[in-house]
Amino acid sequence: MNSILPLNNLPVNYSPALSNPKLNPNKPYTISMKSVDSIQKIGRAADPEIIPAKMLLSLLKSGLNDDAKIDEKLFQGRTKEDWIRLNNLAIDNAVAPTVFNGLEKNPNIKVPEEVAANLKESKEYAKKYHGLQEKLLGEFSDFTKSKGIDTVQMKGIGFSMNYPDPTARFGGDIDIYNFKHGTNPSDPKNNMSLMTDKIAEKSGIEVALDHGPKHSEIKYKGMPIENHRNFLNIEIGPLHKKMNSYLLKHLNPVQETLPHGTKILVPSKEFNNVFISFHAMQHFVGAGINFHHLADWAVQVKKHGLTIPEEAKGTKFEEFMYAFTNLANKHLGTNVKVPENKKLENEIFDKMLHPERSNDLGVPTPKSKNPVSMVVYKYKKIAANTARYNQYWGTDKTVTQACFDSLIRHFKKPKTFLDVFTKLK
């Protein structure tokens, strides 16, 4: 027996602990999922994913565009296994609700009842979650406003209003930037991130400061809120610093009204042009990129077009913006002419299709897990990762420097030293 992936198996970034807004806010929100019986066990990310991925992208395109025509022949003769793979990819990539919208627009496509029911339930789940985020973001924004601080919400629920069906855009945590009310948000001295942490703690709200220099994490009624000091990881290198300065300069917040009438501040389209694409590139270079990022980019490009900032020209970021746009053109219905880079486009798509390969970096897993083999493996991973960072971010860090930085991180968390000799990650 093989079960459709339940929603509570979503990647951690897309599945924070939730509460049901119709019930006690502190009571966990649970959801029952349907299973599919009597089929062979299915690997979730092998070459047979290619056809289900094409099916998914076709339905996602339809869900994002009212005028998108779907190739019904692609769906003819597909097995239940293909549909299970599609479902699991949709959930893994946090696009199941929009995929279901695509199905609803195309009633001639025959989908197994269990898969259709699961996708529908994921849409209902996303709608409840969207409503919960609106409620909690509205409360938190009112809280900071009462302290003379304005809160700008980035990506996530605010950006979802660019989607044809905002509540189908499933988000994870809430990203915010805070500045002193009545001041210029582009002036760094008006950044009120640290002050927001302090007043939240004084009010009994949980605040975690161990998430790196870019942001803290505030847990407001169980909802994780990333409270940004910077928009990007500026410690990585010059490109991050340059584009972070661009984002601050072009923040220019405007008011947005969410589905239930909550008014919030969101960044400008110029900000999103860089923030959405740079965020996706960070996932591509690092932990892994997926169809959720491509959907966001398609929505941004379709509504506002593509502008390459002067600060990005001549960099790998410019190349990525072109390649990502071409993928959106090919799969999700945008139509923006940009230079082609098939090699980079294929690499991005392969990482979206095969997230399990995101962190291997071409370094084979050691046959033996003895301490020496593990240390050698970790060294090779650091070397490969350093080369990748230097290639894409334009940095010039040496492997020795990277190893030293790794040691420093372990010194800060001594309990992790044992992991160097015993764990692959």
Short mmCIF file of all heavy atoms in Angstrom, two decimals, residues 361 363 377-387 398-399 402-403 406 409:
data_model
loop_
_atom_site.label_atom_id
_atom_site.label_comp_id
_atom_site.label_asym_id
_atom_site.label_seq_id
_atom_site.Cartn_x
_atom_site.Cartn_y
_atom_site.Cartn_z
N LEU A 361 26.07 17.83 -4.33
CA LEU A 361 27.16 18.60 -4.91
C LEU A 361 28.16 17.73 -5.66
O LEU A 361 29.33 18.08 -5.82
CB LEU A 361 27.90 19.37 -3.80
CG LEU A 361 27.07 20.42 -3.06
CD1 LEU A 361 27.83 20.93 -1.85
CD2 LEU A 361 26.72 21.58 -3.98
N VAL A 363 29.40 14.97 -4.68
CA VAL A 363 30.29 14.25 -3.76
C VAL A 363 29.62 12.93 -3.37
O VAL A 363 28.55 12.95 -2.73
CB VAL A 363 30.58 15.08 -2.49
CG1 VAL A 363 31.49 14.30 -1.55
CG2 VAL A 363 31.21 16.42 -2.88
N TYR A 377 34.68 13.04 3.81
CA TYR A 377 33.45 13.36 3.09
C TYR A 377 33.01 14.80 3.38
O TYR A 377 32.66 15.55 2.45
CB TYR A 377 32.36 12.38 3.51
CG TYR A 377 30.97 12.73 3.02
CD1 TYR A 377 30.62 12.59 1.68
CD2 TYR A 377 30.00 13.20 3.91
CE1 TYR A 377 29.35 12.91 1.24
CE2 TYR A 377 28.73 13.51 3.47
CZ TYR A 377 28.41 13.36 2.14
OH TYR A 377 27.15 13.68 1.70
N LYS A 378 33.05 15.20 4.64
CA LYS A 378 32.65 16.57 5.01
C LYS A 378 33.58 17.60 4.37
O LYS A 378 33.14 18.66 3.91
CB LYS A 378 32.67 16.73 6.54
CG LYS A 378 31.65 15.87 7.29
CD LYS A 378 30.24 16.35 7.05
CE LYS A 378 29.21 15.49 7.76
NZ LYS A 378 29.31 15.52 9.22
N TYR A 379 34.88 17.28 4.32
CA TYR A 379 35.84 18.20 3.70
C TYR A 379 35.52 18.38 2.22
O TYR A 379 35.52 19.51 1.70
CB TYR A 379 37.27 17.69 3.87
CG TYR A 379 38.29 18.54 3.17
CD1 TYR A 379 38.79 19.70 3.77
CD2 TYR A 379 38.74 18.21 1.89
CE1 TYR A 379 39.73 20.51 3.11
CE2 TYR A 379 39.66 19.01 1.23
CZ TYR A 379 40.15 20.15 1.84
OH TYR A 379 41.06 20.95 1.19
N LYS A 380 35.24 17.26 1.53
CA LYS A 380 34.92 17.34 0.10
C LYS A 380 33.63 18.12 -0.13
O LYS A 380 33.51 18.87 -1.10
CB LYS A 380 34.79 15.93 -0.48
CG LYS A 380 36.12 15.19 -0.59
CD LYS A 380 35.92 13.80 -1.18
CE LYS A 380 37.25 13.06 -1.34
NZ LYS A 380 37.05 11.69 -1.89
N LYS A 381 32.65 17.96 0.77
CA LYS A 381 31.40 18.71 0.65
C LYS A 381 31.66 20.21 0.83
O LYS A 381 31.12 21.04 0.09
CB LYS A 381 30.39 18.23 1.70
CG LYS A 381 29.74 16.89 1.42
CD LYS A 381 28.71 16.97 0.30
CE LYS A 381 27.47 17.73 0.67
NZ LYS A 381 26.56 17.01 1.53
N ILE A 382 32.48 20.56 1.81
CA ILE A 382 32.80 21.97 2.04
C ILE A 382 33.52 22.55 0.82
O ILE A 382 33.23 23.67 0.38
CB ILE A 382 33.66 22.14 3.31
CG1 ILE A 382 32.81 21.85 4.56
CG2 ILE A 382 34.25 23.54 3.39
CD1 ILE A 382 33.59 21.86 5.86
N ALA A 383 34.45 21.77 0.25
CA ALA A 383 35.20 22.24 -0.92
C ALA A 383 34.26 22.46 -2.11
O ALA A 383 34.35 23.48 -2.81
CB ALA A 383 36.29 21.24 -1.28
N ALA A 384 33.35 21.51 -2.34
CA ALA A 384 32.42 21.62 -3.46
C ALA A 384 31.46 22.79 -3.25
O ALA A 384 31.15 23.54 -4.19
CB ALA A 384 31.65 20.32 -3.64
N ASN A 385 30.99 22.95 -2.03
CA ASN A 385 30.06 24.03 -1.73
C ASN A 385 30.74 25.40 -1.86
O ASN A 385 30.14 26.36 -2.35
CB ASN A 385 29.50 23.86 -0.31
CG ASN A 385 28.31 24.76 -0.04
OD1 ASN A 385 27.30 24.72 -0.74
ND2 ASN A 385 28.43 25.60 0.97
N THR A 386 32.00 25.48 -1.43
CA THR A 386 32.75 26.73 -1.55
C THR A 386 32.94 27.10 -3.01
O THR A 386 32.78 28.27 -3.39
CB THR A 386 34.12 26.59 -0.86
OG1 THR A 386 33.94 26.25 0.52
CG2 THR A 386 34.91 27.89 -0.96
N ALA A 387 33.25 26.11 -3.83
CA ALA A 387 33.43 26.37 -5.26
C ALA A 387 32.12 26.86 -5.89
O ALA A 387 32.12 27.76 -6.74
CB ALA A 387 33.90 25.09 -5.96
N THR A 398 38.41 30.75 0.28
CA THR A 398 39.19 29.53 0.13
C THR A 398 38.55 28.41 0.94
O THR A 398 37.74 28.66 1.84
CB THR A 398 40.63 29.73 0.63
OG1 THR A 398 40.61 29.97 2.05
CG2 THR A 398 41.30 30.91 -0.07
N VAL A 399 38.93 27.17 0.62
CA VAL A 399 38.40 26.03 1.36
C VAL A 399 38.86 26.09 2.81
O VAL A 399 38.12 25.74 3.73
CB VAL A 399 38.86 24.71 0.71
CG1 VAL A 399 38.34 23.50 1.50
CG2 VAL A 399 38.36 24.62 -0.73
N ALA A 402 36.57 28.37 4.62
CA ALA A 402 35.28 27.73 4.80
C ALA A 402 35.33 26.70 5.93
O ALA A 402 34.40 26.59 6.73
CB ALA A 402 34.83 27.08 3.50
N CYS A 403 36.42 25.94 6.00
CA CYS A 403 36.57 24.95 7.09
C CYS A 403 36.68 25.66 8.43
O CYS A 403 36.11 25.20 9.44
CB CYS A 403 37.81 24.10 6.84
SG CYS A 403 37.65 22.92 5.48
N SER A 406 33.32 26.75 9.52
CA SER A 406 32.56 25.59 10.01
C SER A 406 32.95 25.26 11.45
O SER A 406 32.08 24.97 12.28
CB SER A 406 32.80 24.39 9.09
OG SER A 406 32.10 23.25 9.56
N ARG A 409 31.34 27.67 13.85
CA ARG A 409 29.93 27.34 14.10
C ARG A 409 29.80 26.19 15.08
O ARG A 409 28.91 26.18 15.94
CB ARG A 409 29.23 26.99 12.77
CG ARG A 409 28.99 28.20 11.88
CD ARG A 409 28.04 27.87 10.75
NE ARG A 409 28.61 26.92 9.81
CZ ARG A 409 29.34 27.27 8.75
NH1 ARG A 409 29.59 28.55 8.50
NH2 ARG A 409 29.81 26.34 7.93
#
